[in-house]
Amino acid sequence: MSLAEAATSASGAFDSIPIIDIGHASTHEERVALAQQIRDACVNVGFFYIKNHGIPEEIIDEVLSAMKTYFSLPVETKMKVGPPSSHHADPRLISSELYHRRGAHFRGYEPLLDSNIDPANRGDLYEGFVIGWEELVPKEGDDQKADNKPTTIENLWPSEPAGFREAFINYYHATFDVGKFLHRLFALALDLPETFFDDKSLQLKRCPVMRGLHYPPQTGPEDDRIVGIGAHADFEDQNNVQCFTILWQEPGVQALQVLNSKNQWINATPIPGTLVINIGDLLSRWTNDIFRSTVHRAINRSGVRRYSIPLFIGADPDVDVEPLPSCVSPDRPARYEIINSGEYVRQRLRDMYQQSIGTPGGAQ
């Protein structure tokens, strides 16, 4: 069955989210079989779990411990900037505090109720810490330019707790490796060469953005318009035009929900040893809406604090995007014109926020 035929037969009326074991992918044949499972999940749901992803449990434990310690600190302490992690840091781009809207590229601390992604709500009840690519030990050339753009964007780090930077960077790199592997499976799922996305989304290290998130328990009335994060699909910000998200969520704390075509909210229950993958708006557009970018939200009524870590894997802002040939047919002509991915996200930001370009757009 072709991709277009698969999309035509998909109803979107799912009542569960598939689990895909990616632990056996050493041969091309195994990767093609995995890609078929991923195709089915992306066409029918837009979300799936992966297990046997290869991220060591100690890396997850260390970043979770760092998050719990950091988010328990007073706000004024969370806002304090530690020393720069690289001698390449440009003092003109270093904020005097960690508030993420003060820096050049929205790195740093996001306070509670600082955003409101769904205009129907009164605010998003989460706080976060945002980083991008950074080597644990700075390397020569990390500050080099590509087409007059920096290959990396300087992160800001808190003054405490000790070990916070190391824990975040170690988790970032481990998850980024998973993202590189998934990109190749997505290519196979779309009947493309396995390396199709390699020069479109994994070259400039400034693209992938990671958020460590803390959701306090919600104790207000069920119909209160303050939620963990309102209903949305993922597109991210001006530096990361989002193709898909890799989400770790703390086991035992239900919050994430996914909307099916019957307008039913389906729980994305945390499953130990798994990550949740969801398709973003740009990859949906790239696939001529064959892969679903599914609306989702997070509401933490568990009675305990919830922690999660999304890594947003995107396209380079300079990439031109048009529906892929494998996703276009006489019965399913191209639904979109070619567009620069950076301009696409600027349009989305203008439409959603009606304010200055660059407002961040996504958490989970």
Side-chain angles (χ1 to χ4, degrees):
M1 182 184 296
S2 70
L3 282 160
E5 290 169 340
T8 300
S9 63
S11 70
F14 58 89
D15 58 9
S16 63
I17 298 171
I19 303 171
I20 300 175
D21 186 344
I22 65 169
H24 301 285
S26 58
T27 68
H28 180 73
E29 291 73 20
E30 288 175 330
R31 292 193 293 277
V32 168
L34 280 177
Q36 182 60 56
Q37 295 181 58
I38 287 173
R39 174 194 287 198
D40 292 345
C42 294
V43 168
N44 291 290
V45 183
F47 271 73
F48 57 96
Y49 297 91
I50 58 172
K51 65 179 183 178
N52 291 320
H53 46 70
I55 300 178
E57 198 62 36
E58 57 267 26
I59 286 181
I60 296 174
D61 291 343
E62 287 171 2
V63 72
L64 177 59
S65 176
M67 288 169 59
K68 288 183 174 181
T69 301
Y70 175 76
F71 288 125
S72 69
L73 297 170
V75 171
E76 57 269 23
T77 304
K78 284 184 278 195
M79 286 286 194
K80 290 182 179 177
V81 180
S85 57
S86 169
H87 66 277
H88 298 308
D90 185 341
R92 296 170 298 175
L93 301 180
I94 300 299
S95 174
S96 59
E97 65 176 12
L98 276 177
Y99 181 49
H100 71 121
R101 294 181 190 268
R102 291 276 169 81
H105 297 282
F106 297 100
R107 302 294 197 257
Y109 175 61
E110 300 175 288
L112 289 170
L113 301 175
D114 189 66
S115 66
N116 184 27
I117 200 166
D118 183 349
N121 293 334
R122 294 194 293 121
D124 294 327
L125 189 63
Y126 75 86
E127 58 180 342
F129 196 90
V130 187
I131 71 164
W133 176 282
E134 183 174 317
E135 295 285 356
L136 188 60
V137 178
K139 297 178 181 178
E140 285 297 322
D142 277 355
D143 60 341
Q144 70 186 23
K145 306 287 183 177
D147 297 328
N148 295 318
K149 299 180 179 68
T151 56
T152 59
I153 293 171
E154 191 73 24
N155 288 317
L156 301 176
W157 297 104
S159 58
E160 55 181 292
F164 182 91
R165 172 181 174 270
E166 291 76 8
F168 263 60
I169 290 177
N170 286 335
Y171 179 84
Y172 182 105
H173 283 277
T175 310
F176 183 70
D177 287 342
V178 175
K180 290 191 290 185
F181 176 62
L182 286 174
H183 245 316
R184 294 196 164 195
L185 294 180
F186 282 128
L188 291 174
L190 293 165
D191 298 330
L192 298 168
E194 198 167 346
T195 58
F196 177 82
F197 291 109
D198 284 9
D199 63 348
K200 298 172 180 63
S201 59
L202 298 173
Q203 293 302 303
L204 281 185
K205 299 173 185 175
R206 64 195 178 99
C207 286
V209 172
M210 186 179 98
R211 283 183 165 93
L213 301 174
H214 164 229
Y215 293 81
Q218 293 179 237
T219 56
E222 290 278 342
D223 61 351
D224 187 15
R225 290 181 296 112
I226 293 178
V227 299
I229 184 168
H232 68 287
D234 287 344
F235 69 93
E236 247 320 271
D237 62 31
Q238 84 278 15
N239 295 306
N240 177 26
V241 191
Q242 200 252 335
C243 289
F244 63 96
T245 302
I246 304 173
L247 174 72
W248 177 86
Q249 50 181 348
E250 187 176 16
V253 185
Q254 170 59 43
L256 180 61
Q257 298 179 312
V258 183
L259 189 66
N260 69 13
S261 60
K262 294 182 178 180
N263 286 322
Q264 299 168 327
W265 288 104
I266 307 302
N267 287 341
T269 304
I271 301 174
T274 68
L275 300 168
V276 178
I277 313 300
N278 73 276
I279 301 304
D281 282 357
L282 187 71
L283 188 54
S284 181
R285 181 185 177 114
W286 222 335
T287 64
N288 206 29
D289 291 334
I290 288 176
F291 281 10
R292 293 177 182 269
S293 178
T294 308
V295 171
H296 50 284
R297 67 184 185 185
I299 301 178
N300 180 18
R301 296 199 179 276
S302 66
V304 298
R305 299 177 184 276
R306 184 226 186 196
Y307 299 89
S308 67
I309 312 172
L311 178 72
F312 302 96
I313 302 289
D316 186 282
D318 297 326
V319 170
D320 290 331
V321 173
E322 62 182 321
L324 298 164
S326 60
C327 299
V328 176
S329 72
D331 294 329
R332 193 183 186 90
R335 299 181 176 185
Y336 304 102
E337 297 179 354
I338 188 170
I339 190 171
N340 174 268
S341 59
E343 177 56 30
Y344 165 75
V345 83
R346 285 189 287 271
Q347 287 182 8
R348 288 294 312 274
L349 288 165
R350 284 193 292 266
D351 292 344
M352 291 186 69
Y353 293 99
Q354 297 181 352
Q355 59 187 41
S356 61
I357 294 173
T359 302
Q364 288 185 323

